[in-house]
Amino acid sequence: MSQQLTLELSDEVYADLQQKANAVGLSIAEWIVAALSHQSHGVSKVLGSAELQEEARQRFRSHAGAISLGYATGVDNASIDADLARAYASEYEG
């Protein structure tokens, strides 16, 4: 079974797709189908199972707080301004 999809593309996007399709000897429709098929396979690999997603999430969370600057950071504008002033001043020192 197949479905038909109608798209409205800007001239710029159409020209880009035409160039890509011509480069590999396909029609624009064939190129789009191939590109979407390839992309969906990559997405399904990335998403994987819920178990893999949770494992990846935990690995990501394990990095939180892993680096200590040795002092508290926050949204203290005076502290941020002082840090920036020191950084800029050191660029212009001998």
Side-chain angles (χ1 to χ4, degrees):
M1 178 181 219
S2 65
Q3 302 295 321
Q4 185 172 356
L5 176 66
T6 303
L7 300 172
E8 185 173 330
L9 305 170
S10 69
D11 290 340
E12 181 179 281
V13 170
Y14 186 87
D16 182 54
L17 292 175
Q18 181 72 59
Q19 182 180 13
K20 289 175 180 176
N22 287 344
V24 293
L26 296 174
S27 70
I28 291 178
E30 291 169 327
W31 187 90
I32 291 172
V33 169
L36 290 174
S37 177
H38 178 72
Q39 183 180 14
S40 69
H41 291 305
V43 168
S44 63
K45 287 179 186 176
V46 169
L47 294 178
S49 68
E51 184 177 297
L52 290 175
Q53 287 178 4
E54 184 58 31
E55 186 180 312
R57 188 174 291 113
Q58 292 303 322
R59 281 194 315 270
F60 175 75
R61 286 182 179 161
S62 72
H63 296 288
I67 297 175
S68 173
L69 298 176
Y71 56 89
T73 60
V75 293
D76 175 20
N77 285 335
S79 161
I80 293 169
D81 290 344
D83 288 343
L84 288 171
R86 279 191 299 278
Y88 288 128
S90 67
E91 287 181 13
Y92 298 106
E93 291 177 355

